[in-house]
Amino acid sequence: MKHTKVKTLLLGEAVNKTVCVKGWVRTKRGSKNVSFIAINDGSTINNIQAVAESDSFDESLLKQITTGACLSIIGTLIESQGSGQKVEIAAQEIEVLGEADTDLYPLQPKRHSLEFLREKAHLRFRTNTFSAVFRIRHALSFAIHQFFNDKGFVNLHTPIITGADAEGAGEMFQVSSLDWNNLPKDDKGNVDESQDFFGKKTNLTVSGQLEAELGALALGQVYTFGPTFRAENSNTSRHLSEFWMIEPEVAFADLNDNMDLAEDFLKYCIQYVLDKCSDDIAFLDKRLADEEKNLPKEQKSEMGLTERLQFVVENDFERLTYTEAIFILRNSKPNKKKKFQYLIEGFGADLQSEHERYLVEKKFKKPVILTDYPKGIKAFYMRMNEDGQTVRAMDILFPGIGEIVGGSQREERMEILKSRMEEMDVDQEELWWYLETRQFGSCPHSGFGLGFERLIMFVTGMKNVRDVIPFPRYPQNSEF
Ligand code: 4AD
Ligand code: MG
């Protein structure tokens, strides 16, 4: 018999019909005479209950039904006698597809710590929290493609292996097929990279932006959505070594257009999840409230998860320049009382997460877009302002997250771009193809990068980026 998803069964449309459900046991309880088995198949946060009369089944079979076991159940869908669910299945046939040894199965029907579950990443999908997070991750991914498709963007698959360091930060994983125990050397005794697989030094991409710019300067509007890799040794709750980034790039767009696009985009994605994932959001909302129950007042969120998402959708982001932000920060209480770990002295300082959070969570209490950063702390490709000091950069800062988007208007003027590359020691020969776009039909254009996992953190209320990607990679961890 064909099986039906739990999500569909719970709609109750098949009442009094014979149905088949397949899934994994979340809990089994009951008495000598009857067992109540909660089954989940991942289609929804909710379980369906199957009721098995002990008389109808072998005792040995009922014994195999333990938390984690995989079952196929055929029975009649009936209106539930008990409270808590609308319908349940009166089981007639039960097949155990896969047993789960109770003594060894790591997931007990109780709350586990997220740290513990990270070590069981192959099984954590079976928990309510992670199944909700990963259904939402999927919904967001779908929303992103929908948003850009509706606007006529072309999805561009940029390379994962590249010779370029787009961000010029040098935080790259090298890609090589050389034998590390027997490296070819040149005359000077250095590793001879010309003998490597690609005939030169290559790395995993840190961003698809530079290639996306080539696309935009022909196709008009493009976006990438792919994995990016950073070998920065930052063991924080917001950094991964492998993360997914969405990078739109638009010809004929200036920084204001770029900010408008990013704000629309974020609001669209959040609204999409509010509309399509209400059960999962309701679950995570409650989860977050429970988690924060015992925190001191100043650490509690001011709004619940749903409320916070609605707030972001309904309110304009605050837009101000870096220089204005520095003025606010310099005169802020935590700066004057030396509460910031990094005190703000004046123009030029790189903003730390504590400063970003002050602006977003204390000062404006909503998402903030900071623009026009000093050239010294931003990448070579950002468009120089008239003042010769600041560039047309924008960072979007979110409550509880800090930077969620980084972008800019690009430097489309060849001479200025070249001199910036020189100043910042960026190899012009390596990027000859990038420079040629400025030589042949250059035009004003802009783009940004959204850290996919940071968006998922915000939408789900999860506090560690490692808990919103199926198999997180971070220093000293590449398991699974
Ligand atoms: O600010 P970033 O480094 O910008 C770029 O890579 C540009 N090329 C984007 C562009 O203009 N097309 O990274 C963009 C975003 C950040 O705002 C952050 O959300 C996320 O990527 N991000 C990370 N997310 C998880 N782990 C990391 N290590 C991240 N580094 C950046
Ligand atoms: Mg950035």
Side-chain angles (χ1 to χ4, degrees):
M1 185 177 179
K2 239 183 131 199
H3 68 282
T4 309
K5 286 196 175 149
V6 171
K7 189 178 178 177
T8 312
L9 291 173
L10 289 176
L11 296 174
E13 285 161 7
V15 166
N16 297 330
K17 296 207 173 99
T18 303
V19 297
C20 173
V21 66
K22 295 185 184 190
W24 293 267
V25 177
R26 282 295 172 81
T27 56
K28 184 176 105 176
R29 55 186 182 84
S31 61
K32 219 167 70 194
N33 303 327
V34 62
S35 304
F36 299 100
I37 310 159
I39 300 278
N40 190 282
D41 66 356
S43 60
T44 158
I45 191 89
N46 300 307
N47 304 326
I48 192 153
Q49 173 163 289
V51 185
E53 307 277 348
S54 305
D55 289 349
S56 317
F57 300 95
D58 282 347
E59 206 186 313
S60 65
L61 177 111
L62 291 175
K63 270 210 181 115
Q64 290 173 2
I65 301 175
T66 58
T67 300
C70 186
L71 307 184
S72 171
I73 301 179
I74 294 176
T76 312
L77 190 72
I78 54 171
E79 271 166 40
S80 180
Q81 330 274 302
S83 62
Q85 65 272 321
K86 220 166 74 182
V87 290
E88 61 190 22
I89 296 173
Q92 279 133 24
E93 285 172 48
I94 301 179
E95 187 187 345
V96 178
L97 300 175
E99 286 180 60
D101 188 327
T102 10
D103 295 335
L104 299 176
Y105 188 61
L107 307 182
Q108 298 308 314
K110 62 158 196 182
R111 180 169 285 219
H112 293 287
S113 78
L114 298 172
E115 291 77 10
F116 170 80
L117 290 170
R118 235 171 269 151
E119 288 166 17
K120 311 280 177 237
H122 56 310
L123 293 171
R124 66 179 181 170
F125 300 112
R126 301 244 190 117
T127 65
N128 284 332
T129 298
F130 285 95
S131 64
V133 165
F134 291 116
R135 275 188 299 270
I136 290 174
R137 185 179 169 110
H138 162 75
L140 280 170
S141 163
F142 201 81
I144 287 163
H145 286 296
Q146 184 90 54
F147 176 85
F148 287 118
N149 185 60
D150 288 351
K151 288 196 177 311
F153 279 64
V154 172
N155 183 199
L156 201 68
H157 297 119
T158 50
I160 289 170
I161 300 174
T162 171
D165 177 5
E167 292 305 298
E171 293 162 334
M172 298 175 299
F173 291 101
Q174 213 170 314
V175 174
S176 170
S177 62
L178 292 177
D179 176 359
W180 286 13
N181 293 312
N182 187 18
L183 291 169
K185 298 280 169 71
D186 63 15
D187 307 344
K188 293 185 191 132
N190 296 323
V191 175
D192 183 2
E193 281 151 353
S194 71
Q195 290 192 46
D196 204 345
F197 192 89
F198 296 104
K200 65 173 187 174
K201 194 170 179 167
T202 48
N203 52 274
L204 294 176
T205 188
V206 296
S207 156
Q209 178 197 323
L210 302 189
E211 290 91 350
E213 283 189 51
L214 314 191
L217 292 191
L219 298 163
Q221 301 167 298
V222 301
Y223 72 104
T224 73
F225 188 164
T228 46
F229 307 86
R230 302 220 177 154
E232 47 193 340
N233 204 353
S234 27
N235 251 310
T236 79
S237 57
R238 306 178 314 133
H239 289 87
L240 289 163
S241 313
E242 176 181 291
F243 64 99
W244 288 66
M245 193 163 26
I246 297 95
E247 296 183 276
E249 195 66 38
V250 184
F252 320 118
D254 65 14
L255 194 69
N256 287 319
D257 302 321
N258 207 27
M259 287 191 278
D260 291 344
L261 178 70
E263 188 169 336
D264 280 355
F265 173 49
L266 288 165
K267 287 177 172 171
Y268 178 93
C269 292
I270 295 168
Q271 186 64 54
Y272 186 94
V273 169
L274 282 170
D275 292 343
K276 309 274 177 180
C277 308
S278 49
D279 284 356
D280 288 326
I281 291 289
F283 172 83
L284 291 169
D285 192 328
K286 183 166 179 307
R287 180 194 168 276
L288 188 66
D290 287 349
E291 187 186 70
E292 290 190 350
K293 208 156 39 196
N294 299 321
L295 287 180
K297 194 163 167 254
E298 61 280 6
Q299 285 178 37
K300 279 197 211 296
S301 312
E302 278 179 30
M303 293 181 208
L305 181 63
T306 316
E307 202 186 346
R308 196 187 311 165
L309 298 180
Q310 262 151 3
F311 181 85
V312 169
V313 170
E314 285 160 13
N315 288 280
D316 288 343
F317 296 3
E318 188 72 33
R319 299 180 184 192
L320 70 160
T321 65
Y322 165 92
T323 308
E324 288 164 337
I326 287 290
F327 183 79
I328 291 168
L329 288 167
R330 198 160 52 178
N331 295 308
S332 70
K333 236 193 208 169
N335 202 56
K336 286 186 167 156
K337 294 197 161 168
K338 302 201 182 335
K339 288 271 160 61
F340 282 144
Q341 197 186 338
Y342 297 89
L343 293 179
I344 296 288
E345 312 281 358
F347 184 86
D350 204 354
L351 299 187
Q352 304 295 326
S353 142
E354 56 181 347
H355 309 129
E356 298 176 343
R357 296 190 64 163
Y358 174 83
L359 292 170
V360 173
E361 290 159 30
K362 296 274 182 304
K363 174 77 187 168
F364 295 109
K365 296 184 188 288
K366 55 166 148 163
V368 169
I369 313 185
L370 286 187
T371 62
D372 303 286
Y373 282 73
K375 62 177 181 177
I377 56 172
K378 288 290 178 191
F380 72 93
Y381 51 70
M382 297 190 180
R383 193 177 200 278
M384 182 64 72
N385 278 319
E386 302 275 292
D387 61 13
Q389 295 304 313
T390 57
V391 289
R392 286 306 257 163
M394 65 170 207
D395 274 9
I396 303 186
L397 316 176
F398 259 39
I401 308 288
E403 181 191 336
I404 195 165
V405 162
S408 72
Q409 185 166 340
R410 316 305 188 191
E411 185 54 79
E412 83 282 14
R413 299 161 295 185
M414 178 69 109
E415 288 320 309
I416 301 177
L417 180 59
K418 276 188 172 166
S419 76
R420 287 290 294 142
M421 289 171 90
E422 218 153 279
E423 256 174 58
M424 300 190 79
D425 213 13
V426 178
D427 190 342
Q428 295 186 31
E429 260 168 58
E430 180 60 51
L431 290 179
W432 64 271
W433 45 271
Y434 184 72
L435 287 166
E436 279 200 1
T437 58
R438 274 54 175 178
Q439 187 180 0
F440 305 125
S442 189
C443 75
H445 61 287
S446 301
F448 61 84
L450 166 68
F452 189 40
E453 284 74 20
R454 297 216 181 145
L455 174 63
I456 305 170
M457 282 174 79
F458 180 73
V459 171
T460 59
M462 300 298 284
K463 292 187 170 149
N464 194 313
V465 72
R466 296 172 187 180
D467 294 328
V468 299
I469 186 164
F471 302 103
R473 268 77 183 100
Y474 48 91
Q476 301 300 316
N477 186 77
S478 59
E479 195 67 26
F480 310 109

